[in-house]
Amino acid sequence: MKKKTIIILFAVVVGFNAHAQFGEFLQGEFGFTAGVSNYFGDLNPSSSFSHPKPAVGIFYLKQFNNYLGMRVSAHYTQLGYSDIYNNNSFQRLRNLSFNTDIWELAVHGDFNFFKFVPGDDKYFFTPFISIGAGIFTYDPYAYVQGRKVYLRPLGTEGQNINYKDAEGNVRSPYGSMAFCFPVGIGIKYNISNRTNLSFQITHRLTNTDYIDDVSTTYVGADKFPTLPNGQPSDAGLLQDRSYNYGTPIGVEGRQRGWSKQKDQYIIAEIGLSFTFSDYRCPSAEY
């Protein structure tokens, strides 16, 4: 998946440069965005668009001609979800939850469906699509006994104890950085000679299943150390939170998440951008 996306993105960039050899207005935009994000994953398997989080961003767009451009964007957002939002009885009993901050940097290839020329009353509007690749950081956390606790260092699925699953695979700790592959659609209006207003919805596919710290199976409470007073450690308390509803369900080997589906998130945002442009003459050919 990553290789295919990178190849497609490279081909788009080459195509942009080829198009830019003709006499076109070379338009640049610098803008700001604000909107909401939503997480999809093991705690929200039905892809419900509920409990969104705030998202903000900045971007620079280089428009190589009236249809094709490349955009570099940076976003900050929060993601989070809880099993208490689900109607499924098992998920509610599982009682897991998380929140995380997301810092994202991405490059997008944009394609306008209509000719778009800022300042021209005939070409002031266009829908567009985009595809890109980027990186983001994440660090999921939850609350236990009123305290904010980061989940990655705890190894809630046995990552810190060299745990082997039923197939003999050792679970390794996951990192705090992953790749994302944004695919989006939007509309853009030129509202004055150098000012544009846009709305875009972009879905991010990722290569990690641990944005929510949930992916595979329970390893069992007995695998985690206890405190000197005999009470469970944070890892023991947060790997299986079904104890709030009675007998814990987190026995070794029981499903905790679904590792075959990577986590994803979506950002819907409104953007305001400012245009600057010049004109490139056609290249001389001999």
Side-chain angles (χ1 to χ4, degrees), residues 43-253:
L43 272 63
N44 184 19
S46 62
S47 300
S48 171
F49 196 89
S50 61
H51 301 86
K53 303 285 186 179
V56 294
I58 59 174
F59 68 90
Y60 170 75
L61 170 67
K62 184 66 174 180
Q63 199 74 33
F64 292 102
N65 57 39
N66 301 132
Y67 297 94
L68 299 171
M70 176 172 286
R71 179 163 43 94
V72 178
S73 69
H75 282 86
Y76 166 76
T77 188
Q78 297 175 329
L79 300 177
Y81 213 76
S82 173
D83 274 335
I84 64 174
Y85 304 146
N86 294 309
N87 294 323
N88 181 280
S89 58
F90 170 80
Q91 289 175 283
R92 292 182 66 86
L93 181 60
R94 185 178 59 177
N95 195 36
L96 297 176
S97 65
F98 85 101
N99 285 280
T100 185
D101 295 316
I102 298 286
W103 295 91
E104 176 195 286
L105 180 65
V107 178
H108 316 250
D110 287 6
F111 173 76
N112 296 333
F113 285 95
F114 305 150
K115 186 175 181 179
F116 184 75
V117 183
D120 191 323
D121 292 339
K122 294 181 179 179
Y123 307 110
F124 68 95
F125 158 77
T126 183
F128 66 92
I129 58 173
S130 68
I131 182 172
I135 57 174
F136 68 96
T137 62
Y138 64 106
D139 200 2
Y141 60 88
Y143 291 90
V144 59
Q145 299 171 348
R147 295 180 292 113
K148 179 180 178 180
V149 179
Y150 284 94
L151 299 168
R152 185 167 59 91
L154 302 182
T156 55
E157 293 189 351
Q159 297 97 330
N160 295 339
I161 57 175
N162 294 318
Y163 177 79
K164 288 186 178 181
D165 61 22
E167 298 177 352
N169 300 313
V170 177
R171 294 182 184 168
S172 302
Y174 60 88
S176 60
M177 182 177 293
F179 291 102
C180 64
F181 305 97
V183 180
I185 187 169
I187 54 175
K188 181 162 64 174
Y189 289 89
N190 177 232
I191 57 177
S192 72
N193 193 40
R194 293 193 177 273
T195 307
N196 307 299
L197 187 66
S198 63
F199 174 72
Q200 183 172 3
I201 299 177
T202 306
H203 194 99
R204 273 84 170 168
L205 306 173
T206 80
N207 72 329
T208 180
D209 194 34
Y210 279 107
I211 291 178
D212 49 20
D213 192 60
V214 181
S215 179
T216 56
T217 60
Y218 291 99
V219 299
D222 60 309
K223 302 295 191 300
F224 297 92
T226 58
L227 301 177
N229 61 6
Q231 295 298 311
S233 63
D234 286 342
L237 289 170
L238 290 169
Q239 62 90 28
D240 176 17
R241 282 175 261 175
S242 61
Y243 55 80
N244 286 338
Y245 294 101
T247 304
I249 65 172
V251 298
E252 184 175 5

Side-chain angles (χ1 to χ4, degrees), residues 260-277:
K260 296 185 183 299
Q261 179 67 56
K262 303 300 184 183
D263 294 332
Q264 306 169 33
Y265 59 102
I266 192 171
I267 296 179
E269 57 193 340
I270 295 173
L272 181 67
S273 63
F274 306 95
T275 301
F276 49 93
S277 59

